Amino acid sequence: VIIDHGDRLELDLKIRAQTPANEVLDTILFTFNPGLRVEALTVNGEMASWRHEFGLLDITPPSALTADSSIVIDLKASGTPNTTFGYLDSARNLLRGTSTGAQLGLLGVDVSVFSADYVALMPGSRWLPSPGTDVPNDDARTHPVDFFEIDLAVTIPPAWQVAGPGRRQPIAENNDRAADGDPAVYGGRAHYRFAPAAVVPMVGLITAHFERRAMNVSGVEFELHLHP
């Protein structure tokens, strides 16, 4: 993941997934932010066709996928995320109804932030492809939560800090883990890795020119990022 201030987001992803136990798949469906443009995509190493519209990425592999099989999707995409994108199962028109109800607009309409001095890639904006559709998503019997492993290398502007899933690990120029406290800045950028030991249901990244404060209590590190 390369974050170029608020100008551009670049993704080079390898997604490992499992097909359903009793179903042969002719297509694979993901929810994916419509502001990002898919540049290349393969399924199990073979070129696949795709359609990316309205926040849905519909992939047609070269051949049907058998039930209960492992697949690997290599995907490259880039662009500026649509910060207002996010699927909801209901809507409210703030121009209609009572003045009290209209005050919901004070909470804002952006799902994420992608500006020159602050980037917040929130899970609900689907800046990473999410299996299936977001609606419906509240019935665990038909759409159970998908817990998955994550291993992300993240590149940001050199003076910025980044927070994400689990502990931030600086990456040295030889792709090894750098010493703690080393900002791992080379090539004009800072490089970090997020690879939590626990599985996660969603992923967000928040990065900006933060002031960092940290303390260690009984072997647990607590971290605070402050922004002007």
Side-chain angles (χ1 to χ4, degrees):
V1 179
I2 299 176
I3 300 173
D4 187 6
H5 292 86
D7 296 328
R8 184 177 176 85
L9 177 68
E10 297 182 26
L11 302 174
D12 187 351
L13 307 175
K14 185 179 292 289
I15 303 169
R16 294 182 174 90
Q18 191 85 7
T19 60
N22 301 307
E23 186 177 355
V24 176
L25 296 183
D26 295 318
T27 62
I28 314 167
L29 187 65
F30 286 88
T31 304
F32 189 42
N33 192 287
L36 299 172
R37 182 173 62 89
V38 178
E39 298 170 346
L41 193 152
T42 64
V43 178
N44 291 337
E46 298 184 71
M47 299 297 295
S49 59
W50 71 86
R51 186 175 71 251
H52 186 203
E53 296 178 323
F54 310 114
L56 292 176
L57 176 58
D58 194 1
I59 303 169
T60 303
S63 58
L65 301 172
T66 58
D68 197 25
S69 61
S70 297
I71 60 174
V72 177
I73 300 171
D74 286 280
L75 183 150
K76 292 184 178 180
S78 65
T80 302
N82 183 334
T83 58
T84 63
F85 172 75
Y87 275 118
L88 302 173
D89 59 4
S90 62
R92 180 184 294 271
N93 189 332
L94 299 180
L95 299 180
R96 297 179 180 176
T98 66
S99 58
T100 301
Q103 292 181 31
L104 283 173
L106 298 175
L107 298 176
V109 297
D110 286 337
V111 178
S112 54
V113 180
F114 202 75
S115 63
D117 63 349
Y118 197 103
V119 171
L121 298 172
M122 305 307 290
S125 70
R126 299 309 183 195
W127 64 277
L128 285 179
S130 173
T133 62
D134 273 4
V135 178
N137 62 2
D138 56 356
D139 190 340
R141 295 170 298 180
T142 59
H143 293 73
V145 176
D146 182 24
F147 289 93
F148 52 89
E149 297 175 333
I150 191 80
D151 188 344
L152 283 182
V154 181
T155 300
I156 58 174
W160 286 22
Q161 297 277 2
V162 60
R167 187 181 180 91
R168 180 183 58 253
Q169 303 172 11
I171 301 176
E173 196 163 3
N174 59 2
N175 285 331
D176 292 334
R177 178 173 177 177
D180 286 338
D182 184 347
V185 176
Y186 51 89
R189 294 173 173 173
H191 304 262
Y192 296 96
R193 179 181 178 222
F194 292 94
V199 294
V200 296
M202 58 185 66
V203 177
L205 287 177
I206 300 178
T207 179
H209 196 169
F210 292 118
E211 284 286 339
R212 178 179 179 270
R213 300 290 184 269
M215 64 184 299
N216 195 293
V217 180
S218 299
V220 178
E221 185 177 62
F222 293 86
E223 189 176 60
L224 181 67
H225 293 284
L226 304 172
H227 189 267

